[in-house]
Amino acid sequence: MEKSIKRVAVLTSGGDSPGMNAAIRAVVRSAIYKGIEVVGVRRGYSGLVNKLFMGMQSHSVSKTISMGGTILKSSRCPEFKEREVREQAVANMKEAGIDALVVIGGDGSFRGANLLHEEFGFPVVGIPGTIDNDIYGTDFTIGFDTAINTAVGAIDKIRDTADSHNLVFFVEVMGRDAGFIGLYTAIATGAEATLIPEVHTNVDELCSYLDLERRKNKTSGIVIVAEGHAEGNAHEIAALVKEKLPDYETRVTTLGHIQRGGSPTCNDRVLASILGHEAIEALLKGESGIMVGQINGKTVYTPFVEACSKHNKINNLWYEIAHILAL
Ligand code: F6P
């Protein structure tokens, strides 16, 4: 027996990621298909608190599947850590006749979602949307595939100029505390060295990887520096290397927020569409306090508590392979 839900709300929260619109679209259309009304909440949790509600129809999400960003807008909402603020959010939803919520975001967003579920028994299901790919309970998060493709395109261009001028480039990629973007882009661009938070690499080791003399035919170098590395950011690491290898011409590029924008790849659109649909199915099955993810092509429910406390692990063998192939 399906649970009775008359009106569901959907919001996007935290850093935006390409494919969030495809997920919103899937939530809206799957809900309408089941006879459920949909309310879009603008600006994440602050929209719940400030009643930024808008009715959504099937046509509200027309032509959004290929759009980057989020049509509902997003925000980080530190006030949501306070119980009274969450209480207000629940009261606002009840007043608007909303009886369930879908949250599209990362682990910070799921912590808030879990409190709505635990403290007020409000039905909430999450969809993993972040470029960082750091959420436990899914092989991939929505936006990761687009972000790595954007980064690879940019690093390929950097390689052209690095080669032309015999330069060593330190390219900083996003990921917060996780090295997925770093590792994937390093393998795909043939980077000479990869620095990710999960693996400790000191500057001496890094310099030995960069020994272009030993690498005979190499004239340029790309060092991928993932955010969150213990030795510092790309500028700091480049300065340390320059001290030890003064003959090297070095440059630094921080790819930054271009990694969060742009039209989602096919993989991200498909993942977002499936998970958006599965979020509505989960609510109708009476699920709450869980995230819908995909592991080996199958939909998996993971309690928010686990999705937030555990982390996806990088494959250490892949890290070694990146190193071997860069010789
Ligand atoms: O979580 C997504 C992300 O882009 C991280 O990779 C990055 O560390 C962070 O958000 C940047 O956030 P902001 O735009 O708020 O500085």
Side-chain angles (χ1 to χ4, degrees), residues 45 101-106 109-111 113-118 122-128 135-137 275 277-293 299-308:
Y45 288 119
L101 173 67
V102 176
V103 171
I104 306 168
S109 311
F110 292 162
R111 274 186 206 105
N114 193 47
L115 291 171
L116 296 180
H117 157 76
E118 276 184 356
F122 200 88
V124 193
V125 163
I127 300 176
I135 310 263
Y136 180 81
L275 293 184
H277 175 81
E278 292 289 35
I280 293 298
E281 290 291 318
L283 284 169
L284 286 170
K285 283 183 199 154
E287 292 286 347
S288 178
I290 56 114
M291 175 195 89
V292 291
T299 300
V300 175
Y301 299 161
T302 304
F304 283 139
V305 182
E306 249 183 284
C308 298

Side-chain angles (χ1 to χ4, degrees), residues 40 51 55 83 86 95 106 135 138 174 180 191 194 209 230 241 245 248 297 304 313:
K51 301 193 206 173
R83 192 188 153 96
R86 296 193 293 274
E95 186 191 81
I135 310 263
T138 190
M174 277 187 167
F180 290 96
T194 315
Y209 301 155
V241 169
L245 301 172
Y248 283 20
F304 283 139
K313 298 253 177 302

Side-chain angles (χ1 to χ4, degrees), residues 20-133:
M20 279 185 163
N21 286 324
I24 296 167
R25 171 180 176 271
V27 167
V28 169
R29 293 199 171 164
S30 298
I32 290 171
Y33 178 76
K34 291 285 186 172
I36 303 169
E37 289 179 56
V38 187
V39 173
V41 182
R42 287 164 62 82
R43 299 198 173 278
Y45 288 119
S46 19
L48 279 189
V49 181
N50 297 299
K51 301 193 206 173
L52 304 181
F53 298 151
M54 57 190 242
M56 297 189 84
Q57 325 300 329
S58 185
H59 64 78
S60 314
V61 288
S62 292
K63 303 189 196 77
T64 59
I65 196 163
S66 59
M67 286 164 55
T70 157
I71 54 167
L72 289 176
K73 300 194 180 283
S74 189
S75 69
R76 303 196 192 273
C77 180
E79 315 86 84
F80 215 68
K81 292 196 178 119
E82 289 159 34
R83 192 188 153 96
E84 312 83 79
V85 174
R86 296 193 293 274
E87 216 160 31
Q88 184 63 57
V90 172
N92 290 347
M93 284 195 280
K94 287 194 173 153
E95 186 191 81
I98 295 164
D99 33 37
L101 173 67
V102 176
V103 171
I104 306 168
D107 54 358
S109 311
F110 292 162
R111 274 186 206 105
N114 193 47
L115 291 171
L116 296 180
H117 157 76
E118 276 184 356
E119 293 174 341
F120 307 97
F122 200 88
V124 193
V125 163
I127 300 176
T130 164
I131 62 166
D132 300 338
N133 206 42

Side-chain angles (χ1 to χ4, degrees), residues 14-16 76 129-132 134 173-177 181 227 256-257 259-260:
D16 64 336
R76 303 196 192 273
T130 164
I131 62 166
D132 300 338
D134 57 347
V173 297
M174 277 187 167
R176 202 181 290 276
D177 304 317
I181 299 178
E227 277 185 333
H257 288 76
Q259 294 160 99
R260 287 227 304 244

